[in-house]
Amino acid sequence: MPDIALYQPDIPQNTGTILRLAACMDVSVHLIEPAGFPLSDHSLKRAGMDYVERAKLVRHESWEVFQSWQQKEERRLLLLSTKAAHVYTEFEYSKSDILLMGRESSGVPQEVHDYADHRLIIPMKNGMRSLNIAVSTGMVLGEALRQTGSF
């Protein structure tokens, strides 16, 4: 199954929603710290409801720790970005992919952007900035699961 990775998330409600999605789809979430909120935050639990306890959450204390784990596991890293050119529905996914989502406020630093194996975009109407991160995660995860027959 593809996994989801959250790079230093800012908003607990979005993280809770993504944890709920992951629990329902039986995928792991890798949270790359530091988060912009306490992980015991009430908003996180409220958004994720009782699904948060059922989610497979793996915490990585830094980008470097996550990067080391990802390299050891030999898994491909796919960054969702508004600066990408490759449309997410035209990409060929594998079961071992990791879908990396940046911070809601600022995305990822250039070094993380450059490090990703592939960068994917969700096309939108001209003049629109971005979708909610939980919506974006659901769209791309759904396509990855469909293509790989993982669910």
Side-chain angles (χ1 to χ4, degrees):
M1 295 282 247
D3 283 356
I4 299 165
L6 304 176
Y7 182 87
Q8 300 178 355
D10 292 319
I11 302 173
Q13 296 88 339
N14 288 337
T15 301
T17 300
I18 292 168
L19 287 169
R20 182 177 181 175
L21 169 69
C24 290
M25 298 292 107
D26 197 27
V27 301
S28 296
V29 174
H30 297 265
L31 194 144
I32 302 163
E33 298 188 45
F37 53 88
L39 290 178
S40 59
D41 188 283
H42 175 72
S43 298
L44 174 70
K45 291 180 179 173
R46 182 175 176 196
M49 298 173 53
D50 58 338
Y51 295 89
V52 171
E53 288 88 29
R54 299 176 73 183
K56 294 183 242 178
L57 176 62
V58 181
R59 292 170 62 178
H60 300 272
E61 64 185 42
S62 68
W63 164 249
E64 293 76 21
V65 171
F66 171 80
Q67 192 176 25
S68 176
W69 170 84
Q70 179 257 335
Q71 289 171 354
K72 186 178 81 174
E73 295 292 314
E74 298 180 352
R75 297 183 67 184
R76 200 166 58 163
L77 190 62
L78 313 178
L79 174 64
L80 274 68
S81 173
T82 57
K83 299 174 187 167
H86 202 114
V87 176
Y88 83 103
T89 54
E90 298 171 357
F91 186 79
E92 189 173 325
Y93 298 88
S94 80
K95 289 184 178 185
S96 63
D97 286 338
I98 301 169
L99 308 175
L100 177 61
M101 312 303 287
R103 293 185 79 137
E104 294 93 337
S105 62
S106 59
V108 297
Q110 191 63 46
E111 72 176 73
V112 175
H113 193 274
D114 294 342
Y115 175 80
D117 295 298
H118 298 278
R119 287 152 291 285
L120 308 175
I121 191 167
I122 299 171
M124 294 180 288
K125 180 180 174 180
N126 284 339
M128 303 307 285
R129 270 188 337 195
S130 64
L131 293 167
N132 175 278
I133 192 170
V135 171
S136 298
T137 302
M139 290 173 68
V140 178
L141 178 62
E143 179 64 14
L145 293 174
R146 182 191 71 78
Q147 281 190 26
T148 61
S150 296
F151 205 82

